[in-house]
Amino acid sequence: MHDCHIPTLKNQRQIPPPHCFPLPNPCPIAVSKNDLMAQALHIVNGIVVNDDRQWRADVLVVDGKVHSVGLDLVVPAGVRVIDAAGKYVIPGGIDPHTHLQLPFMGTVSRDDFDHGTRAAVAGGTTCVIDFVIPSSRSESLVDAYDRWRSWADPKVNCDYALHVAVTSWSERISSEMGILCGERGVSSFKMFMAYKDSMMVTDAELYRCFARCRELGAIGMVHAENGDLVAAGQEHVLRCGVHGPEGHELSRPEEIEAEATERAITIAHQVRAPAYIVHVMSKGAADALVRARRAGRQCFGEALAAGLAVDGSHACNADWRAAAAYVMSPPLRSDPTTKEHLMRLLAVGDLATVATDNCTFNADQKALGKDDFTKIPNGVNGIEDRMAIVWTKGVETGMLAPTDFVRVTSTAAAKIFGLYPRKGRIEQGSDADIVVWDPAAKRTISAKTHHHNIDYNICAWPNEYLTFKLLMCGGRS
């Protein structure tokens, strides 16, 4: 089941396509033919890969858009030529889950919109979708959205869009959701079932949020963990004398994630709204989503690059700082078979996308929880290494075809969040967000060479990962 189209529901109001904020266009409004050709690019001899097919074709890019795809293209003189022989020509990656410059747990994530999008581009991702999270339950969603725009617009190095988190419910919130959809181009809202006493919503509030999303034609996204049981589990683990990073997963066992996943999908189904479950981290949660899909529920699951690359055993490292680097929520699972299980569900389409939840904190920030694991800022890196991880762990192992790789790293997110076919596809009229992907080129992931603004990399391994030859965002390489 590879179709990520969200069916139009009866009486569901349709909103305009969501806003994806591009890089400032350096080209003047009026250009001469020679100027235009200088901005054009002809990619030849490559294998073009979309989510539904791969074939030998050339690609002509003009003025930031795909002008034509095929063989024997009519190309004016003076166009720059890129020889992609032996390489794949794929849509730029879309990371639908990042937290750049996020104020969280008493500090601010280190990858701001400059560092984070530099890292994204360095890894083959040409569009990120970040989350607006109000600073308090009383803050206006519109004000929070405008603040995120003021942070991002001066810094971004690639296209981006924004989801908005709903952390409480009122008539004002309902009205502001409508304003965000109608006037700001927002098409997705996130609710938290975890983080009790801060961002967590009740089941009744979640029901109302999904109902409002359905009215607006937006999609509801959920962080699915049972927040009450997490809070109780944290208290219990601390009472047992466990204060280090290993206590994090102990306090948030797999069944807490699985139960909340099933409950979120059930609540969404009551109002016939689609549900997008962010960061599916366990076999139990993934299987709950698969059962719901088999029962005809409209739901989509998101895997994370970290969850495909590493497991939770690293949180038991005797080196506290090394262990704390792996603390995120839901936790990376200690079961070493989880990674392959999630990848196989991506292969058949039961999990839809691969994101990162990129929310980075350096070792000193993580040390805010040195005596209490509940105070370790939650978050890991991944925005730079996401696509290399999926290729290495998915395509090179035979679990994914190149078309599947494009689907889970780009096209599915574009379809779910309303960016398709402008993004997530190489065809006439699409944005020229293009990666020339070289299956022979390799690199070693390392904190010494990455573009993140942190002093570690949880994906760092001695083995080599694939990298790419050329990246274009909006036709600019």
Side-chain angles (χ1 to χ4, degrees), residues 232-301:
Q234 290 174 329
E235 292 176 4
H236 174 71
V237 171
L238 289 171
R239 282 198 307 269
C240 289
V242 179
H243 297 271
E246 70 275 14
H248 185 68
E249 185 184 7
L250 291 173
S251 69
R252 310 171 95 103
E254 185 170 325
E255 57 262 38
I256 283 179
E257 183 189 357
E259 181 276 333
T261 298
E262 184 170 6
R263 180 157 44 98
I265 296 169
T266 299
I267 291 171
H269 182 64
Q270 304 314 299
V271 294
R272 301 302 187 268
Y276 182 96
I277 307 300
V278 300
H279 46 44
V280 176
M281 299 300 291
S282 67
K283 291 161 71 173
D287 291 347
L289 188 139
V290 171
R291 289 193 299 272
R293 288 173 61 84
R294 297 291 182 271
R297 306 293 186 257
Q298 291 185 78
C299 53
F300 306 93

Side-chain angles (χ1 to χ4, degrees), residues 106-316:
T107 186
V108 179
S109 62
R110 292 283 294 174
D111 283 338
D112 63 5
F113 281 94
D114 177 20
H115 288 96
T117 55
R118 283 181 186 274
V121 168
T125 292
T126 57
C127 180
V128 302
I129 312 182
D130 204 73
F131 285 87
V132 174
I133 301 181
S135 60
S136 68
R137 294 177 185 269
S138 61
E139 184 182 18
S140 159
L141 299 185
V142 177
D143 288 348
Y145 173 92
D146 290 342
R147 186 170 73 256
W148 246 259
R149 286 290 309 275
S150 74
W151 291 345
D153 285 354
K155 295 182 177 181
V156 291
N157 300 289
C158 66
D159 293 354
Y160 79 103
L162 294 170
H163 312 291
V164 176
V166 176
T167 59
S168 64
W169 187 255
S170 66
E171 286 304 312
R172 174 181 63 83
I173 295 294
S174 177
S175 174
E176 288 184 334
M177 290 172 70
I179 293 170
L180 288 168
C181 287
E183 299 179 14
R184 301 294 200 278
V186 172
S187 66
S188 44
F189 296 92
K190 180 182 180 181
M191 290 73 74
F192 293 86
M193 299 173 77
Y195 301 113
K196 187 176 181 180
D197 298 326
S198 59
M199 297 184 286
M200 175 178 156
V201 297
T202 66
D203 285 0
E205 290 172 329
L206 186 58
Y207 176 93
R208 293 184 177 94
C209 289
F210 272 124
R212 183 60 168 146
C213 284
R214 185 184 187 280
E215 291 173 356
L216 294 170
I219 187 165
M221 310 169 72
V222 178
H223 175 135
E225 289 183 288
N226 187 315
D228 289 318
L229 293 183
V230 168
Q234 290 174 329
E235 292 176 4
H236 174 71
V237 171
L238 289 171
R239 282 198 307 269
C240 289
V242 179
H243 297 271
E246 70 275 14
H248 185 68
E249 185 184 7
L250 291 173
S251 69
R252 310 171 95 103
E254 185 170 325
E255 57 262 38
I256 283 179
E257 183 189 357
E259 181 276 333
T261 298
E262 184 170 6
R263 180 157 44 98
I265 296 169
T266 299
I267 291 171
H269 182 64
Q270 304 314 299
V271 294
R272 301 302 187 268
Y276 182 96
I277 307 300
V278 300
H279 46 44
V280 176
M281 299 300 291
S282 67
K283 291 161 71 173
D287 291 347
L289 188 139
V290 171
R291 289 193 299 272
R293 288 173 61 84
R294 297 291 182 271
R297 306 293 186 257
Q298 291 185 78
C299 53
F300 306 93
E302 171 192 277
L304 297 187
L308 300 172
V310 298
D311 60 53
S313 63
H314 299 278
C316 296

Side-chain angles (χ1 to χ4, degrees), residues 11-40:
N11 299 324
Q12 183 178 30
R13 186 173 71 84
Q14 297 300 297
I15 62 175
H19 288 177
C20 181
F21 307 106
L23 286 167
N25 191 339
C27 308
I29 295 175
V31 295
S32 69
K33 181 177 180 180
N34 288 337
D35 288 337
L36 187 60
M37 288 305 101
Q39 299 161 22

Side-chain angles (χ1 to χ4, degrees), residues 305-306 309-310 326 381-382 385 389 445-446 457-461 463 465:
V310 298
Y326 291 83
N381 64 283
D385 306 314
I389 287 168
I445 294 174
S446 170
N457 189 317
I458 69 162
C459 302
W461 286 94
N463 51 308
Y465 286 78

